Amino acid sequence: MKLGRRFLFLILTILYVHTYAVTQLPRSLDSNDQNRTLEILGFGSSSKILGDPYPLGGYSGIEVGVSSQFIPVGDLATLGSGTQDKGEMSFYTLSLGKGLFYNIDTFVYFTPAIQSEEMQTFGGQVRWGFYEASFFPISFSTMVYAGGANFQNLINITTVGWDLIGTVNMENVALYFGGGRVRAQGTFIGGPAGITASGETESRTIVDDHTFFGVNVEISKAFIALEVDRYTDSVYSGKLGFRF
């Protein structure tokens, strides 16, 4: 119980100190600019593994966590009318996972309102661990996911995809890697205060492959996960979690 209270306190502390300026979105985006924006914000905000892919059903079955993701926006600043932002968009999400059976997990995640970025994300995952070697500490799983994101009520994005994951489990440490395919559909708001060059609300869809690599370190029932996802750009993520 003491560890659980300490973990909750740490989560609240992370939420409190997470104060970055709101990322500026460029205006006057033509079709090419919109596709590039989807590559940056759509793929960047899509669902991440961020944890031990070993099935929750093999433990007591519940996981809670808070994660931060860092999306590079240097190229975003050069699109359309341009902006002065050259660094990263940083945001966090809260997640809850539940093991349904020994090798099937479900996760939901969402962005809380108390953060500096004017954006919201939400989504879910279903993960199936389909193979575990008996002669070597390696296992394989697959994951399907879907989610949505809203950026300043100017860009609405939905993402769906799947990943194939390989995991090497050692004592208190798990290394995971793999790849998959992701589809992002974005709606760009038009009108006088809109974001499109035409002034009309427009929609774009892009599909791409991606790869990822991550490490998960257990500390008693808590864990820390770090992950790098490679799309057109690289997105960096970290998560602090607790498994009951």
Side-chain angles (χ1 to χ4, degrees):
M1 292 300 295
K2 288 184 178 180
L3 182 59
R5 288 196 296 268
R6 291 173 182 171
F7 176 72
L8 178 60
F9 174 77
L10 185 55
I11 286 180
L12 294 176
T13 301
I14 292 173
L15 298 182
Y16 178 76
V17 301
H18 202 287
T19 54
Y20 293 90
V22 176
T23 300
Q24 296 178 344
L25 296 179
R27 266 59 173 177
S28 301
L29 300 179
D30 60 23
S31 59
N32 291 330
D33 293 335
Q34 292 170 27
N35 286 336
R36 182 67 180 117
T37 299
L38 270 183
E39 290 178 345
I40 298 170
L41 299 182
F43 293 157
S45 63
S46 64
S47 181
K48 307 298 187 296
I49 298 168
L50 281 176
D52 188 348
Y54 186 83
L56 275 168
Y59 296 109
S60 300
I62 298 177
E63 176 186 304
V64 294
V66 57
S67 61
S68 288
Q69 298 186 42
F70 301 89
I71 302 175
V73 294
D75 282 359
L76 188 68
T78 66
L79 303 179
S81 59
T83 73
Q84 298 300 312
D85 283 325
K86 302 293 184 180
E88 296 174 326
M89 173 182 289
S90 176
F91 64 96
Y92 55 84
T93 58
L94 301 179
S95 63
L96 174 65
K98 180 69 176 71
L100 298 182
F101 305 101
Y102 179 77
N103 59 349
I104 298 178
D105 301 337
T106 58
F107 292 84
V108 294
Y109 65 89
F110 66 94
T111 299
I114 50 172
Q115 65 171 344
S116 56
E117 287 289 358
E118 294 179 358
M119 64 167 295
Q120 298 84 39
T121 64
F122 61 91
Q125 307 170 347
V126 177
R127 191 170 64 197
W128 173 42
F130 63 87
Y131 177 78
E132 184 175 356
S134 58
F135 56 89
F136 190 75
I138 189 169
S139 60
F140 291 93
S141 57
T142 186
M143 183 177 78
V144 294
Y145 56 86
N150 175 285
F151 295 87
Q152 302 175 23
N153 293 321
L154 292 171
I155 306 174
N156 297 307
I157 297 174
T158 58
T159 53
V160 295
W162 60 268
D163 290 330
L164 180 64
I165 311 157
T167 307
V168 178
N169 285 291
M170 297 169 281
E171 186 176 1
N172 300 324
V173 178
L175 302 176
Y176 61 91
F177 55 91
R181 195 159 179 83
V182 58
R183 176 180 182 270
Q185 180 176 9
T187 300
F188 297 81
I189 304 303
I195 202 170
T196 62
S198 67
E200 302 293 330
T201 296
E202 300 178 9
S203 295
R204 305 290 171 192
T205 300
I206 58 173
V207 181
D208 201 3
D209 299 322
H210 81 109
T211 57
F212 55 85
F213 173 82
V215 58
N216 183 87
V217 180
E218 295 182 5
I219 307 171
S220 186
K221 291 186 177 181
F223 67 86
I224 298 174
L226 301 173
E227 181 174 327
V228 179
D229 288 77
R230 177 64 182 174
Y231 307 93
T232 308
D233 309 279
S234 294
V235 177
Y236 302 89
S237 309
K239 182 176 182 179
L240 175 62
F242 191 83
R243 285 190 165 185
F244 297 91

